Amino acid sequence: MNVHAVKVNSGSGVLISALSQEYSYVLTAAHVVRDSQDQTILNHKGEQINDIQTYFHPDANVDCAVIKIPYDESINLSLCLGEPPHQAPLMMVGYPGSRAKETAFHKKVKQQDAALTSWVNGEIVISATGAPDKEMIDGFSGAGVYYLDDGYPRLIAIEFSMDGAKVEEYFGRIKCHAIRWYEELVESHSLAPIMPSFLECFSILKDKTFNYDIPGAALIDHIKEELGGIIDEILEDESTKPSLILKKYETGLLFSGEHQSSLLDIRLWISYLEFMAISVLLDNPTKADSSYFSGLDTKRRLVFSKSEKNWIGELRSLLELAGTMLDEGGSLIIDNCEAVPTAMPASFQIQGVLAHIARPRSAGSRLKINQVSKEKYTTFRLAHIRALHRRCVVEHIEDFYKKDSSEYIDMLRGFYNVYVN
């Protein structure tokens, strides 16, 4: 959070990505920048960031401003999609005037604990811990407000004023604008949407794919070159952009119950590009275009979770998910954030779930299990994508070493086919 906090004139701001490789944004409050022709923007190191142009919300009563700045590929901030619960733990991060005299620039930034008090029509009121007075809050205008979801910060709003008609009413209550106001602002000026730039094109993620953990194995580069050639085929069709895939599937890319903010996690999109490449590898279509990938919808899908727990513990809900998505014999490819994931569930684990498959789950579940025949569940294949990389490449590295690089594609196709089809 500190790295993405910037000092803007006498206030604060937040670095955020645009769906563009040409520029990025600083979000701030309009009153922080309205009277300045050129903005003074300093990053967390005290270094100057050049401003290109400042934009304001078309409704002058909305205290929002967006500053366009040169593209910054290091920005890696997650947005909070949806509304956090009442009293959700929050953190406001900015540059209050009370710290202006600190000599070390990194000490000028402050993290202020808070909790969500109200959320009405995109205007948010938060209660700062300790009920700081106005003097302690001055300079926080434009500061980012983050929802601490399981300890992971997601930007939900930008601070713009104390809450109350007079000082006696403040009691540490602070008003903020939800990110949707900033989304309206950039749309009104025909600017790129506020979204991670890697969602613009999979080419940004190509070098992050298929990073097999085999230190010193030079032939891995040759294997990655072969898979990179498949990715290049995929990149030829502009309709396979991550942003379009996100719009098409939305929460259909996630485990049941996974917070929708996970849709903006870069790890999901790295795995999705790998998933597409493996599909092309296995199916060898005439053209790796959007028409081909749409044809996979009921045959093969990928779902993601930020959980670090063993994914086998979600086996029943994943089978339910497969039942809603896939035809008989379909494959559900899994990715989550556990360190050493299991490649596939053992037969006894599948049988353990199937033994209870006819028992309906509690009301309100995503799928009543008895809506899909028990026999259909036995045909699904579930596999963890990163564990497959280990099974299909790392554990076969000696086999690759014995062969010419011209045979790598056929070898990869054979190894992955065992687990996916």
Side-chain angles (χ1 to χ4, degrees), residues 17-19 23 25 27 55-59 64-66 68 179-195 247:
S17 295
L19 193 61
Y23 53 85
Y25 295 134
L27 310 185
Y55 302 87
F56 299 95
H57 196 280
D59 183 344
C64 293
V66 169
K68 184 194 289 186
I179 298 302
R180 77 168 180 86
W181 292 102
Y182 291 86
E183 293 171 336
E184 286 183 6
L185 189 162
V186 298
E187 183 178 3
S188 70
H189 291 282
S190 300
L191 298 170
I194 297 171
M195 202 174 289
K247 184 177 181 179

Side-chain angles (χ1 to χ4, degrees), residues 70-84:
Y71 174 65
D72 184 347
E73 65 178 359
S74 70
I75 297 173
N76 184 27
L77 196 61
S78 289
L79 294 176
C80 180
L81 305 180
E83 184 178 327

Side-chain angles (χ1 to χ4, degrees), residues 30-328:
H31 72 266
V32 170
V33 294
R34 195 179 297 279
D35 296 329
S36 302
Q37 187 171 0
D38 296 311
Q39 315 304 338
T40 300
I41 309 170
L42 303 176
N43 68 13
H44 70 288
K45 297 179 180 178
E47 300 166 338
Q48 176 78 38
I49 298 175
N50 294 326
D51 65 304
I52 298 174
Q53 190 169 348
T54 301
Y55 302 87
F56 299 95
H57 196 280
D59 183 344
N61 294 317
V62 178
D63 197 354
C64 293
V66 169
I67 308 170
K68 184 194 289 186
I69 61 171
Y71 174 65
D72 184 347
E73 65 178 359
S74 70
I75 297 173
N76 184 27
L77 196 61
S78 289
L79 294 176
C80 180
L81 305 180
E83 184 178 327
H86 179 64
Q87 291 297 308
L90 307 177
M91 183 79 76
M92 181 170 67
V93 184
Y95 289 84
S98 59
R99 293 200 175 184
K101 294 182 180 180
E102 292 284 354
T103 53
F105 196 84
H106 70 275
K107 292 184 178 180
K108 295 178 183 290
V109 70
K110 181 181 180 181
Q111 296 183 351
Q112 172 66 54
D113 293 308
L116 179 64
T117 299
S118 69
W119 185 312
V120 181
N121 296 326
E123 185 169 289
I124 300 168
V125 175
I126 67 175
S127 297
T129 302
D133 58 23
K134 185 178 185 300
E135 185 178 354
M136 297 298 293
I137 296 299
D138 281 346
F140 266 120
S141 290
V145 178
Y146 299 82
Y147 171 37
L148 303 182
D149 182 22
D150 294 327
Y152 190 89
R154 296 187 174 99
L155 184 69
I156 67 164
I158 304 297
E159 191 270 1
F160 68 93
S161 77
M162 299 293 287
D163 180 41
K166 52 186 179 179
V167 173
E168 290 80 8
E169 296 180 0
Y170 290 161
F171 299 112
R173 288 165 58 98
I174 299 166
K175 296 171 73 173
C176 316
H177 281 310
I179 298 302
R180 77 168 180 86
W181 292 102
Y182 291 86
E183 293 171 336
E184 286 183 6
L185 189 162
V186 298
E187 183 178 3
S188 70
H189 291 282
S190 300
L191 298 170
I194 297 171
M195 202 174 289
S197 57
F198 60 75
L199 288 179
E200 182 187 23
C201 182
F202 276 117
S203 61
I204 301 174
L205 302 176
K206 178 182 176 182
D207 291 342
K208 300 181 185 296
T209 60
F210 299 110
N211 288 325
Y212 304 111
D213 186 16
I214 310 178
L219 64 88
I220 287 295
D221 291 337
H222 296 297
I223 295 174
K224 289 190 65 172
E225 284 178 14
E226 297 296 331
L227 292 166
I230 294 176
I231 291 176
D232 287 338
E233 288 183 46
I234 296 170
L235 295 177
E236 290 177 5
D237 185 357
E238 293 188 358
S239 61
T240 56
K241 288 183 177 181
S243 58
L244 297 178
I245 293 170
L246 172 60
K247 184 177 181 179
K248 178 180 179 180
Y249 295 111
E250 296 182 330
T251 55
L253 296 165
L254 303 175
F255 281 32
S256 298
E258 181 75 10
H259 195 285
Q260 65 185 110
S261 294
S262 297
L263 291 169
L264 304 183
D265 192 301
I266 192 170
R267 290 168 292 191
L268 162 60
W269 297 99
I270 292 169
S271 293
Y272 201 89
L273 181 53
E274 293 176 342
F275 164 75
M276 291 196 298
I278 291 170
S279 293
V280 173
L281 171 73
L282 296 178
D283 300 337
N284 196 22
T286 303
K287 191 173 183 181
D289 57 10
S290 57
S291 177
Y292 158 70
F293 289 114
S294 293
L296 291 179
D297 281 356
T298 59
K299 174 184 177 182
R300 191 182 301 137
R301 293 284 294 274
L302 178 137
V303 290
F304 173 79
S305 169
K306 294 182 72 163
S307 172
E308 297 179 0
K309 297 178 181 179
N310 190 313
W311 69 274
I312 302 298
E314 298 290 328
L315 191 55
R316 177 165 177 164
S317 64
L318 287 168
L319 280 170
E320 292 178 13
L321 203 54
T324 66
M325 292 178 171
L326 301 172
D327 290 336
E328 187 171 315

